Amino acid sequence: MKTIARLVLPMIAGLAALAPTAAAQGASPHGSFAHAPGDGHDHGPVVRRTEPWSEAAKHAFAELPVQDGGRVKPMDSLAGLKLLTFNGKRSLKLADGSKLDHRAWMLDVLFFPEQAREYPCFRIQTDGVPVLIGIEPKKKRDWYSYDELLPGRQRLAEEARKLAGMENSQLSEVQRQTRKLASDLMAFESLLGTMDFARLEYATGGSEALREVYGEGPSTLSQVLAHGGELQRIFSSGALDGDEGDALRELSSQLGFVLDTSKFGVTMLPPPEGVVDTETWWTPGDVLQAGLFGAVQMDRQIQDVAHLERLEATKTDPAAFTAELEALRVSLREQAEARGEYGHIPLEVRLYDLDLFWRALYVFLVGFLCVVGTWLLPAAKLPRWGAWGFGILGFLMVATGIVLRCIIRERPPVVSLYDTILFVTACGVFVLLALEAMTRLRVALSLASLFGVAGMFLAGRYEVKEVASAGDTMASVIAVLDTNYYLAIHVTTVTLGYVGGLVAGLLAHAWIFGQLFGMGRRNPEAFRTLARMIYGVLCFCLFFAMFGTIMGGVWANDSWGRFWGWDPKENGALIICLWVLIVLHARLGGYIQDRGLAVMAVATGAVVSASWWGVNLLNVGLHSYGFTSGVALLLAGFWIVELLVMGISLVHYLVGRQDLPAEVAA
Amino acid sequence: MSDDSVKQRSLGRAVMDGLGSYWLSCLCLFVLFLLTIFGTLYQRENGLYAAQERYFNSWFLWMHFGDTAVPFAPSGVLAMSVLAVNLVVGGLVRLQIGARTLGVLVIHLGIAFLLIASLVKLRSSDEGHLQLFEGEQSGHFTSYYDWEVAVWRVDGMPGGAAEEAVVDNQFLTDLVDGRKRTFTLPGVPFELELSNYLPNCDPLPKGPNWTAASPVVDGYALLERSPAKQAEANSAGLFARALVDGKAQESILWGGPSLPWTLEAGGHTWAVALRHTRFPMPFEIRLDDFQKEDHPGTGLAKSYRSYVYKVEGDGEERILIQMNEPLRSEGLVLFQSSWGPQNARPGEPLFSGFSVVRNPSDKWPEIALWVITAGMAYDFGSKLLRFLIRMTRQGAARAGGAA
């Protein structure tokens, strides 16, 4: 059988190369760009969608299991992540002002590709990229459709090729965006090609040998595959002369086209038993490739291909399309369940439907408005209850989201940088609410909402970045991280250390600005309590940072063979410990009082940010899974603000001393 | 009591006060804080090894004025040593032990133990790697950074076995600036003079456009290179001269992929080679099966594991080594650390890479971790309790006032 396969595949490849495909356009991930106009195959007239997708169709579509980035996830997640990568949002604003959600967008990409190519779904952050690839730039940060970018496609591929193998840190902004756009277009082309196989009428009636197997008329791919063995025999007979040869050439050209397009689309079909790699799911093109080898029994996969063909055929009939989609979902669900890979699909769809993190941002915002109400109406109970209620609700929403992500991934809460933001936010809000419960000063209550707003805003911004670089916020982990024990203990505790440092810094801001505006004189006892809170939270920070740092060393000793290697990420954790130890010893030694403690706590926040984000920007060391880019300016801005706050406190202190009588100041 | 003894006591007290002071703690911690930051930034341009040597494994930071090096600031070893003294004096010897300070005492004990573990590791450990294809067996591992010159007889040894004489790394690295050293090695019938050590270099045909960093031998000389960012990528070189029966034979020795230098002496053929230091293991390791598993549909390694035989005498034992699950045996620890070749095509044989460490203080940090954690839990927990009691009292006082 392998011998036949060795004959058949090169033959198809060779015949396909002779056929008038679009190989010369040369820009797609698979060597040719198959979606340029005139790819040599008759796809029929361009069909446009005339009415919105029904909710039922979108729901069935959302729960289709697909494999992407090493894990099985719902189509809903894939669509959302792809659109987020291209567009920066999970929805799309069209030229006529209407909006398209990610499910409708993906349905259009798969079933109405000509229409989807017109959607302005590629956000380009700098007009240097359009200029570079020779197309007319719009505004500096603007959206482009695939068709608008098409004239520059070849040039873009060439420019991206020059940047291959270079680190992001070596690239200019235009180069980074060029590389990203090239990668986005390749991914988009792969999606566009997924259903190409179903838009072809396979020329199985052109030769006697083919007619004997397939009958008179053209066939679908599933029909072609149903007689894969006979097709192999016909191909391997090598009859290439005359009409027989032309017919075989035409069919092989079509099959070659499918291998060039649909093979790189969405991997939505579980593979059959008996193949070498039973873990990796298939695209329709993979089914064709396996069919040409003919070595395994794959009736179920051929049925799935037939399902997809019927979907393509009924796409302009909403009711029939929805029924077909539902049938496909049931079929794929059965197969995925049999493999134990469907379990968390509905939950993941639900997680993204709930959109807990984005909604929590608004809840915290309302909570903060209530806080403002408590400042304006200190005696009123309603604003205070509101601040508490919305603070707790926001915390519960974020915590629920984290728990759901843990269940879906079967991992502890913190695996990626994005996870750290969610975890820090939830724990920071919790710590502040707990402090408020202990002290009743309304300071921690005010800061809890503020912390929640800042955290969820940052999470929303960083999600786009992480998805663009890793493809998912729940991406598969590298081998060294494949240990829930150390992930749960080391990473979680180090992140709790970050929480302590940031909360202490936030409380210190309240102390400094409270003193600046004279509140400290009016209520000195409250400010002494606030200073004690800062001290206590610094102890909390040290406890978890120290435990997490040393535990990290124990992990490194078990995975890399050394306890401590002065790696940047290790050093980042160490500087938090060292700094907090300095603060606590300075306080114990009496070198600093409450103001000094507050100023140094503000610095602790800056040190935590350096450890959390700064060392990742260096892009060196063994913790390569934490590398990131594009946050340097934000980080530098944060440090400058923190330095200013410390400077303001120092100036305030010095001015205050000047106002004192000489003997008191001395 | 005489004035002198009072003065002596007060001087001693002042020294102890200074050594155990919070001020010194803060200073040492701050110096370490700065060293850690600068040492981290330094890695970006100069690599990890150079940063370790400059900021953490030396006593001073050195500034170069031409050929003269001047210490201008304390480096890691000095800062940590002073901190250790401060910790022992202030945190252990002079600490007034009571219920309130018990936690602090335990924390300091744990940190002291951690520092001792680091010292033992620094002074007594060997680190290296072992790379095996399936079926291969080895009884030694190889250093990442250190070099040695090995001399062995290549003919006439029974069974092909070769007893080696070795010149250790510590006798090589200072052979710079015209310094040379002559070695008489046991069982070797010639004297070996070594000089012109270069940490990273290439042997090239000597041309007019570059200055040789070593004497020219057979038209070849060593061209000095800047140290590689990844120190294990360095290829050292040196100039060797063998004095055989009063006659000198010369060669360039290079640590990169090259054949050993062979010469005739005492009626036998001898080989001389510069290579990474080899450490013998008390057992041999044979790779039976290496498995690498990717996340489906990606090139991202999900796991990789090696089934090895630990061969000792006539017996052998099959053992699994994988990420986060090393083999610990007879003072050695073997970690699954890498695989290759990275560009291997499906079906091509892969090698398995192990990091190998001999570290007497292997598990000590874990003990220190739990001691420190217990101390912190006690100290910070009791502080939190006191804070809560204070808050409750304040709340009660406020409520009473309001009433």
Side-chain angles (χ1 to χ4, degrees):
Chain A
M1 195 59 83
K2 280 185 178 173
T3 313
I4 294 173
R6 271 201 296 273
L7 287 169
V8 173
L9 272 183
M11 184 176 170
I12 285 180
L15 290 171
L18 291 173
T21 60
Q25 314 242 3
S28 88
H30 7 287
S32 65
F33 167 53
H35 276 274
D39 58 25
H41 295 280
D42 181 15
H43 302 279
V46 172
V47 182
R48 300 185 73 83
R49 178 168 58 81
T50 53
E51 50 187 298
W53 295 103
S54 69
E55 284 305 314
K58 286 201 284 188
H59 180 74
F61 184 66
E63 288 199 358
L64 289 181
V66 298
Q67 192 180 66
D68 175 62
R71 74 181 181 97
V72 175
K73 61 179 77 159
M75 179 69 90
D76 181 59
S77 297
L78 180 72
L81 293 167
K82 289 295 179 195
L83 191 54
L84 193 63
T85 306
F86 302 157
N87 182 47
K89 294 177 184 169
R90 282 194 165 83
S91 60
L92 187 65
K93 194 175 176 187
L94 301 182
D96 62 3
S98 61
K99 276 182 96 174
L100 207 59
D101 65 30
H102 58 282
R103 293 172 184 170
W105 170 79
M106 185 61 116
L107 278 163
D108 283 348
V109 170
L110 297 185
F111 295 100
F112 295 95
E114 305 296 334
Q115 198 169 341
R117 285 166 40 160
E118 297 166 6
Y119 295 154
C121 64
F122 296 98
R123 188 172 195 207
I124 302 178
Q125 299 284 354
T126 164
D127 55 8
V129 179
V131 170
L132 181 72
I133 63 174
I135 63 169
E136 192 62 32
K138 299 182 184 176
K139 283 187 284 184
K140 192 171 181 190
R141 289 186 178 85
D142 214 332
W143 285 264
Y144 294 75
S145 72
Y146 181 77
D147 280 346
E148 286 171 331
L149 294 169
L150 197 56
R153 183 71 185 89
Q154 184 77 31
R155 184 73 193 279
L156 179 68
E158 286 164 12
E159 292 296 332
R161 208 170 293 129
K162 290 181 199 165
L163 308 175
M166 291 171 72
E167 285 179 19
N168 255 346
S169 55
Q170 296 172 284
L171 305 180
S172 67
E173 182 58 21
V174 171
Q175 287 174 321
R176 266 198 292 270
Q177 291 295 324
T178 301
R179 189 149 80 177
K180 179 182 182 300
L181 182 62
S183 159
D184 288 353
L185 289 194
M186 277 167 57
F188 186 69
E189 285 160 2
S190 297
L191 296 176
L192 284 179
T194 303
M195 293 297 296
D196 274 356
F197 76 93
R199 284 186 272 273
L200 287 178
E201 291 183 337
Y202 295 83
T204 52
S207 92
E208 191 54 43
L210 290 172
R211 272 196 298 276
E212 275 177 24
V213 177
Y214 293 103
E216 286 295 326
S219 304
T220 61
L221 183 65
S222 57
Q223 290 166 339
V224 171
L225 290 168
H227 301 282
E230 288 96 321
L231 187 62
Q232 281 174 25
R233 182 179 49 74
I234 296 169
F235 273 125
S236 56
S237 68
L240 292 175
D241 299 328
D243 290 346
E244 287 287 305
D246 288 343
L248 281 180
R249 251 193 297 276
E250 187 179 355
L251 179 59
S252 67
S253 162
Q254 290 177 317
L255 298 179
F257 172 77
V258 173
L259 286 176
D260 208 25
T261 55
S262 299
K263 184 170 170 17
F264 298 91
V266 180
T267 45
M268 57 170 84
L269 308 176
E273 303 263 330
V275 291
V276 175
D277 179 5
T278 54
E279 296 287 311
T280 306
W281 285 34
W282 284 2
T283 60
D286 290 324
V287 180
L288 169 62
Q289 186 170 326
L292 293 173
F293 275 89
V296 289
Q297 191 71 25
M298 48 175 208
D299 295 345
R300 192 70 191 254
Q301 285 66 37
I302 294 173
Q303 282 174 28
D304 291 337
V305 168
H307 260 307
L308 291 167
E309 287 164 348
R310 286 197 293 277
L311 275 177
E312 174 65 25
T314 57
K315 67 185 180 185
T316 53
D317 178 351
F321 182 83
T322 305
E324 280 299 333
L325 200 52
E326 182 59 25
L328 177 67
R329 187 184 71 81
V330 170
S331 170
L332 293 179
R333 177 184 176 149
E334 277 174 13
Q335 293 173 68
E337 275 178 341
R339 297 164 59 88
E341 293 177 311
Y342 192 82
H344 302 314
I345 296 281
L347 187 62
E348 190 168 341
V349 175
R350 195 84 190 111
L351 172 69
Y352 283 114
D353 269 349
L354 288 170
D355 201 7
L356 288 165
F357 303 128
W358 190 243
R359 286 178 180 164
L361 171 63
Y362 290 104
V363 169
F364 285 128
L365 266 175
V366 176
F368 187 68
L369 289 178
C370 292
V371 165
V372 173
T374 64
W375 298 341
L376 299 174
L377 305 164
K381 286 183 176 175
L382 194 62
R384 195 163 74 236
W385 289 350
W388 268 106
F390 285 107
I392 292 171
L393 179 62
F395 162 74
L396 288 175
M397 289 170 77
V398 181
T400 305
I402 292 171
V403 169
L404 292 181
R405 286 168 62 85
C406 290
I407 294 169
I408 290 165
R409 276 185 299 187
E410 299 176 1
R411 293 271 175 209
V414 186
V415 179
S416 67
L417 264 176
Y418 175 70
D419 291 325
T420 62
I421 305 173
L422 303 177
F423 192 72
V424 162
T425 306
C427 294
V429 170
F430 180 82
V431 168
L432 284 163
L433 290 175
L435 284 171
E436 181 62 29
M438 292 177 205
T439 59
R440 305 280 175 176
L441 290 179
R442 298 192 198 176
V443 175
L445 182 63
S446 307
L447 295 176
S449 296
L450 202 60
F451 196 85
V453 170
M456 286 301 94
F457 179 74
L458 185 63
R461 295 293 302 272
Y462 190 72
E463 184 187 20
V464 180
K465 198 168 274 299
E466 187 154 298
V467 168
S469 60
D472 198 344
T473 60
M474 293 191 275
S476 305
V477 296
I478 61 170
V480 72
L481 296 182
D482 192 21
T483 155
N484 282 348
Y485 171 72
Y486 283 121
L487 271 181
I489 298 182
H490 159 63
V491 182
T492 309
T493 47
V494 163
T495 311
L496 280 170
Y498 296 163
V499 172
L502 291 172
V503 169
L506 201 56
L507 291 168
H509 282 76
W511 192 97
I512 287 169
F513 285 107
Q515 293 287 357
L516 193 67
F517 296 120
M519 296 172 197
R521 283 188 196 153
R522 290 198 293 273
N523 196 350
E525 185 53 39
F527 273 75
R528 271 194 291 278
T529 302
L530 184 54
R532 286 190 197 104
M533 283 161 67
I534 296 169
Y535 182 85
V537 177
L538 283 173
C539 292
F540 172 95
C541 170
L542 182 65
F543 180 86
F544 286 106
M546 184 87 105
F547 179 88
T549 304
I550 303 176
M551 178 50 91
V554 172
W555 184 4
N557 197 30
D558 266 359
S559 59
W560 295 326
R562 85 291 185 285
F563 170 75
W564 197 258
W566 301 105
D567 181 271
K569 199 70 186 168
E570 295 170 350
N571 292 353
L574 179 64
I575 59 171
I576 297 177
C577 300
L578 290 171
W579 181 257
V580 178
L581 282 170
I582 292 167
V583 180
L584 298 186
H585 281 79
R587 174 76 165 183
L588 283 169
Y591 310 128
I592 56 170
Q593 301 299 321
D594 288 355
R595 181 179 297 275
L597 183 73
V599 169
M600 291 183 87
V602 170
T604 307
V607 170
V608 166
S609 69
S611 173
W612 187 11
W613 294 99
V615 291
N616 300 325
L617 294 170
L618 295 175
N619 286 340
V620 292
L622 289 170
H623 295 75
S624 55
Y625 41 84
F627 292 171
T628 191
S629 62
V631 294
L633 273 181
L634 190 67
L635 199 57
F638 177 70
W639 290 338
I640 289 168
V641 169
E642 296 303 81
L643 275 173
L644 279 174
V645 171
M646 289 187 274
I648 287 168
S649 183
L650 187 65
V651 169
H652 180 231
Y653 170 69
L654 293 174
V655 170
R657 278 175 67 91
Q658 278 179 353
D659 293 344
L660 292 172
E663 64 274 18
V664 177
Chain B
M1 195 176 289
S2 70
D3 285 352
D4 282 350
S5 64
V6 171
K7 275 182 187 172
Q8 271 180 0
R9 183 175 290 180
S10 59
L11 181 65
R13 190 186 183 94
V15 169
M16 289 295 275
D17 282 348
L19 287 176
S21 66
Y22 286 119
W23 178 85
L24 190 60
S25 311
C26 290
L27 180 68
C28 290
L29 289 166
F30 189 63
V31 169
L32 271 176
F33 175 78
L34 291 179
L35 286 171
T36 308
I37 290 175
F38 287 113
T40 306
L41 297 174
Y42 192 77
Q43 289 182 37
R44 184 170 168 76
E45 297 303 322
N46 302 280
L48 175 63
Y49 186 76
Q52 283 179 339
E53 292 303 301
R54 179 173 167 81
Y55 285 95
F56 307 117
N57 291 348
S58 56
W59 288 86
F60 294 100
L61 290 179
W62 297 85
M63 195 176 277
H64 291 268
F65 298 97
D67 290 340
T68 312
V70 178
F72 76 96
S75 190
V77 175
L78 182 56
M80 279 187 273
S81 302
V82 177
L83 182 65
V85 172
N86 172 258
L87 184 143
V88 170
V89 175
L92 298 176
V93 177
R94 289 165 57 83
L95 190 73
Q96 290 182 338
I97 299 170
R100 283 200 167 205
T101 57
L102 186 63
V104 175
L105 180 75
V106 174
I107 294 170
H108 285 161
L109 275 172
I111 294 176
F113 191 55
L114 195 61
L115 288 172
I116 291 167
S118 307
L119 188 68
V120 171
K121 167 87 167 36
L122 187 69
R123 295 286 167 216
S124 312
S125 71
D126 295 322
E127 285 179 65
H129 67 104
L130 172 62
Q131 193 172 294
L132 297 172
F133 282 93
E134 284 177 10
E136 281 188 339
Q137 183 166 324
S138 178
H140 67 262
F141 62 99
T142 308
S143 171
Y144 292 110
Y145 313 116
D146 291 348
W147 297 91
E148 65 185 12
V149 171
V151 182
W152 69 98
R153 213 176 95 190
V154 292
D155 64 341
M157 295 298 287
E163 276 190 26
E164 296 177 339
V166 171
V167 179
D168 197 60
N169 185 68
Q170 60 179 310
F171 302 112
L172 303 178
T173 51
D174 63 342
L175 299 178
V176 294
D177 301 328
R179 199 174 299 143
K180 52 183 76 168
R181 190 172 282 133
T182 303
F183 300 89
T184 305
L185 300 167
V188 177
F190 56 88
E191 289 186 331
L192 190 64
E193 182 190 283
L194 302 175
S195 62
N196 296 79
Y197 175 82
L198 297 166
N200 192 24
C201 60
D202 280 319
L204 293 173
K206 178 69 186 86
N209 296 328
W210 58 279
T211 307
S214 72
V216 180
V217 180
D218 296 334
Y220 278 76
L222 292 172
L223 171 66
E224 184 165 18
R225 303 280 189 196
S226 302
K229 219 169 160 180
Q230 304 288 330
E232 54 267 41
N234 285 334
S235 290
L238 46 72
F239 177 70
R241 183 198 295 262
L243 299 170
V244 184
D245 302 329
K247 288 185 182 174
Q249 298 183 38
E250 297 173 344
S251 180
I252 287 169
L253 301 181
W254 185 54
S258 58
L259 294 172
W261 171 37
T262 55
L263 65 155
E264 301 294 326
H268 295 286
T269 305
W270 295 83
V272 184
L274 176 67
R275 67 188 189 195
H276 278 296
T277 303
R278 291 181 180 178
F279 302 102
M281 297 193 292
F283 47 81
E284 297 205 338
I285 290 291
R286 184 171 77 247
L287 180 63
D288 181 42
D289 184 19
F290 174 70
Q291 297 172 356
K292 174 180 167 279
E293 190 184 340
D294 288 342
H295 288 286
T298 71
L300 186 69
K302 185 180 179 185
S303 67
Y304 40 103
R305 60 183 80 88
S306 301
Y307 288 93
V308 300
Y309 281 103
K310 182 183 152 204
V311 183
E312 210 165 8
D314 295 333
E316 56 182 32
E317 180 187 357
R318 196 164 190 264
I319 293 164
L320 170 65
I321 302 176
Q322 58 184 338
M323 292 299 299
N324 301 313
E325 289 178 33
L327 161 65
R328 288 190 158 82
S329 181
E330 300 179 46
L332 278 184
V333 195
L334 279 83
F335 306 87
Q336 180 72 71
S337 63
S338 63
W339 58 275
Q342 297 285 330
N343 56 355
R345 284 178 295 189
E348 284 186 353
L350 298 175
F351 67 74
S352 179
F354 304 95
S355 291
V356 188
V357 179
R358 181 182 284 119
N359 176 17
S361 60
D362 177 37
K363 283 288 182 187
W364 297 6
E366 203 168 341
I367 299 167
L369 166 69
W370 295 114
V371 173
I372 293 167
T373 303
M376 286 194 299
Y378 178 85
D379 189 55
F380 297 156
S382 53
K383 280 191 171 91
L384 176 65
L385 197 63
R386 287 199 291 274
F387 178 74
L388 287 175
I389 291 168
R390 183 195 292 263
M391 286 296 103
T392 310
R393 281 182 188 153
Q394 276 182 5
R398 270 201 302 269

